[in-house]
Amino acid sequence: MNQNTPTTVNMTADILTTASQMFGRDGNIRVACGHPQTDGSTVWVPGIARNMAPADLEILRGYFIHESSHIRYESLGYNQRVLLEQLGPEAQKLPGMRGEWLMEFYNATEDARIEAAAIRSNPGAAGPLNLIAEKARDNNNRDMPELPVHVQVAHALLWYLQTGLDGIDYLPQGRPIIESMELGWLENFRSGIRHGKKSAEDAIRTALEFMTRLSDHIASDQPGDQPGHPDVGQ
């Protein structure tokens, strides 16, 4: 083959479905083209095409590994849904917090957990997962999406757990909050997910603990409505 001829790979939704069935150990899992997400029975990944350049395929693999890992490592099974329902009222009682934010912060701790689990079981997953992280960072830094402050904090928490905050520019209010908090207690969780010792339930409880400490941090560091101190509820 001519070395100047771009290599393309045939990667249809049917092939991805077969891979998902093996990866998730569930013969009912299907893969479709769309915004990256999963409902536990279908995995949507963007950019599925019949012939793909290797670079595009690696990004597709990254989305596929991430979303399939939510299923494989049981992000939202029965036990997880029950625990979220049980802890939601506790989150609601925290000053400056809202109960529904527990899911936002759980998304951060759980994304970190499942990707660490995927890499631990298959070190080759690190490359594609790093690619989608870089793509998300670069796109967000360029577009600077307008995110509520609590969502910015959740994004910053995920970056902190995964790769650190260097180069993260699109969180002008959330990043300073994370950087001003004492986060040494999170090392137990971060170390645990890297060694496969943390469950989805641990990720939920870590999310609630983070909200508790965030609430305390805001109360101690930002008395009243002072200029330059963003309201997390915005």
Side-chain angles (χ1 to χ4, degrees), residues 108 133 137-138 141 151-183 186-187 190 194 210:
R137 180 201 63 207
D138 293 344
N141 281 347
V151 176
Q152 290 190 35
V153 175
H155 279 218
L157 173 61
L158 173 60
W159 287 113
Y160 173 83
L161 288 171
Q162 289 188 318
T163 60
L165 293 170
D166 290 345
I168 308 300
D169 302 325
Y170 74 97
L171 304 171
Q173 294 173 293
R175 175 175 172 173
I177 292 174
I178 285 282
E179 291 178 326
S180 66
M181 294 178 67
E182 196 291 304
L183 297 176
L186 268 175
E187 289 308 307
R190 184 151 62 172
R194 289 173 179 169
F210 178 82

Side-chain angles (χ1 to χ4, degrees), residues 95-197:
M97 301 291 107
R98 298 177 187 172
E100 62 267 25
W101 293 356
L102 179 59
M103 178 60 77
E104 197 77 53
F105 290 108
Y106 171 52
N107 283 339
T109 56
E110 182 65 354
D111 278 358
R113 184 187 77 89
I114 63 163
E115 289 197 1
I119 293 169
R120 186 171 183 272
S121 64
N122 175 20
L129 289 172
N130 287 337
L131 282 176
I132 64 171
E134 291 172 5
K135 182 180 177 67
R137 180 201 63 207
D138 293 344
N139 287 348
N140 287 339
N141 281 347
R142 182 192 66 231
D143 298 336
M144 295 295 286
E146 295 184 8
L147 301 173
V149 178
H150 75 280
V151 176
Q152 290 190 35
V153 175
H155 279 218
L157 173 61
L158 173 60
W159 287 113
Y160 173 83
L161 288 171
Q162 289 188 318
T163 60
L165 293 170
D166 290 345
I168 308 300
D169 302 325
Y170 74 97
L171 304 171
Q173 294 173 293
R175 175 175 172 173
I177 292 174
I178 285 282
E179 291 178 326
S180 66
M181 294 178 67
E182 196 291 304
L183 297 176
W185 66 276
L186 268 175
E187 289 308 307
N188 176 269
F189 179 74
R190 184 151 62 172
S191 174
I193 62 177
R194 289 173 179 169
H195 291 88
K197 295 181 179 179

Side-chain angles (χ1 to χ4, degrees), residues 193-204:
I193 62 177
R194 289 173 179 169
H195 291 88
K197 295 181 179 179
K198 298 296 180 180
S199 65
E201 289 84 351
D202 292 321
I204 295 171

Side-chain angles (χ1 to χ4, degrees), residues 3 33 39 46 54 57 65 67 86 104 113 127 129 138 153 165 175 196 206 231:
Q3 292 183 344
C33 188
D39 62 2
L57 177 61
I65 291 168
E67 298 303 335
Q86 290 175 342
E104 197 77 53
R113 184 187 77 89
L129 289 172
D138 293 344
V153 175
L165 293 170
R175 175 175 172 173
T206 299
D231 177 2

